Amino acid sequence: MMVSESVSQKLGARARLNGAQQLEQRIALGVVVIPFIGTIAALVWMWVYGISLVDIGLFLIMYAITTLGITAGFHRLFTHSSFKTGKTIQVLLGIAGSMAAQGPVLFWTACHRRHHAWSDDSDDPHSPNAGGEGIWGKFLGLWHAHIAWMFNHNNENWVKYVPDLLRDNLIFKVNQWYFLWIFLGFLIPAILGGFLSHSWQGAISGLLWGGFVRMFLVHHATWSINSICHSFGSRPYETKDDSTNNLICALLAFGEGWHNNHHAFQTSARHGIEWWQADVTYWLIYVLEKLGWVSNVNLPNACLLTAKKSKLAIERCSSVD
């Protein structure tokens, strides 16, 4: 009897796991396909009705808000603790990142911490090395790192990877209301578009450009960090993975494309280390620090920068100033 119950429990747990994976795959399919369809609809709409300054403005504003939610919030704050801030800023960044529809904050953070723990290894959830050898293997690897990994993803152990966020009741609530924040990411540009244009056509246009097109481009700009920035670009610093710096990705993803810099100095709030490396995300953090809303901003010191470049023993250097 006890053996039978044990087998039954195992089968039940496996069924629940399979059900959760199937649900995640359906959500991933919607995340990939729906913004693409919405972008096609926006182009058709533009062909018929044109595009207004309000549409462009809503697209740019929503693109900036949701991208910074991912880069400053999900990545540099929640994943790497590269700076500290109060609960209000934490919640606002958590909501903004959630509106990008790349997964709830705990899911995103756990997945990214696992990426750093196993970067470009077999346990990395989205390494472009997974495709095999040759040109076709390289293409498959890029496809896996960019999109396909979401359809065969094994859920991370949250207790292992995000115990700090599990203990934070407020951030856990932001995580729970994930689909509400996605809905707001569509509702806000639709309402503003209708209000500013005084028309239902303006509401639809705002929804298309500030919602669907914005989400489609934010997705592919940030997903390119997983694919392109582990395949193409420069490697000024010694790291144990294939991370690269890529200018185009850095511009589109607000500094995240200086990815080799980031993997060399993972807790640094600044990814654009050289003066000419534009890093919009760090500029935001810098302004918030000057306003007194952010503190304990981590930056790599001069000793560590030199050590990483010259292959010296970096243990002689402290990791942050």
Side-chain angles (χ1 to χ4, degrees):
M1 185 70 175
M2 293 179 63
V3 174
S4 177
E5 290 179 356
S6 176
V7 171
S8 178
Q9 290 174 352
K10 289 180 179 179
L11 290 174
R14 183 175 299 176
R16 288 192 295 272
L17 178 61
N18 290 337
Q21 288 178 333
Q22 290 176 0
L23 176 61
E24 184 178 333
Q25 289 172 352
R26 294 190 185 102
I27 293 173
L29 182 63
V31 164
V32 172
V33 172
I34 292 174
F36 174 74
I37 295 174
T39 299
I40 299 299
L43 294 175
V44 173
W45 184 272
M46 182 177 65
W47 180 265
V48 176
Y49 296 104
I51 184 171
S52 69
L53 290 176
V54 171
D55 299 331
I56 296 172
L58 288 173
F59 165 76
L60 293 175
I61 291 170
M62 293 301 296
Y63 185 98
I65 289 173
T66 53
T67 298
L68 288 168
I70 291 291
T71 62
F74 280 27
H75 192 200
R76 304 192 197 189
L77 175 61
F78 297 122
T79 302
H80 294 291
S81 301
S82 64
F83 62 93
K84 292 183 179 180
T85 188
K87 290 298 182 182
T88 300
I89 300 295
Q90 289 183 36
V91 169
L92 289 175
L93 288 174
I95 292 172
S98 299
M99 288 195 297
Q102 296 185 16
V105 58
L106 268 69
F107 167 89
W108 200 102
T109 302
C111 186
H112 196 74
R113 286 180 180 176
R114 179 181 163 199
H115 163 66
H116 275 276
W118 303 99
S119 188
D120 288 321
D121 202 344
S122 58
D123 286 328
D124 186 340
H126 44 63
S127 171
N129 294 335
E133 301 296 328
I135 295 176
W136 181 244
K138 188 70 172 178
F139 172 78
L140 290 178
L142 287 169
W143 175 250
H144 168 79
H146 197 77
I147 289 176
W149 71 272
M150 291 184 284
F151 296 96
N152 54 21
H153 171 247
N154 293 319
N155 288 320
E156 286 75 24
N157 183 336
W158 286 8
V159 174
K160 176 181 179 180
Y161 286 106
V162 289
D164 52 330
L165 298 184
L166 284 172
R167 292 191 296 266
D168 192 318
N169 292 331
L170 195 55
I171 299 304
F172 192 80
K173 288 185 182 297
V174 171
N175 185 87
Q176 287 181 308
W177 290 96
Y178 171 64
F179 290 104
L180 172 63
W181 312 135
I182 294 177
F183 176 72
L184 284 179
F186 288 115
L187 182 64
I188 290 170
I191 291 176
L192 289 176
F195 176 77
L196 294 173
S197 65
H198 306 287
S199 70
W200 63 268
Q201 288 183 334
I204 294 175
S205 195
L207 170 65
L208 289 172
W209 289 97
F212 291 106
V213 178
R214 173 269 307 173
M215 183 177 288
F216 176 78
L217 293 179
V218 169
H219 279 174
H220 290 281
T222 52
W223 293 346
S224 293
I225 308 304
N226 298 337
S227 54
I228 294 175
C229 289
H230 278 263
S231 303
F232 306 103
S234 62
R235 289 180 47 79
Y237 294 102
E238 289 295 309
T239 62
K240 296 180 180 180
D241 49 62
D242 299 324
S243 58
T244 66
N245 288 342
N246 187 287
L247 173 61
I248 295 175
C249 291
L251 295 176
L252 293 175
F254 291 0
E256 298 292 285
W258 308 120
H259 203 52
N260 177 250
N261 295 355
H262 167 56
H263 272 258
F265 312 103
Q266 296 179 19
T267 61
S268 174
R270 183 175 183 176
H271 293 186
I273 291 173
E274 304 294 341
W275 67 267
W276 50 270
Q277 293 177 330
D279 187 351
V280 174
T281 304
Y282 175 67
W283 298 344
L284 171 67
I285 296 169
Y286 178 83
V287 170
L288 293 177
E289 182 184 28
K290 294 303 178 184
L291 292 172
W293 297 344
V294 156
S295 63
N296 297 87
V297 178
N298 292 334
L299 298 172
N301 61 32
C303 176
L304 192 57
L305 289 171
T306 302
K308 282 279 187 178
K309 276 192 173 181
S310 62
K311 306 180 185 179
L312 298 176
I314 64 172
E315 59 267 16
R316 287 182 263 171
C317 303
S318 59
S319 60
V320 293
D321 286 326

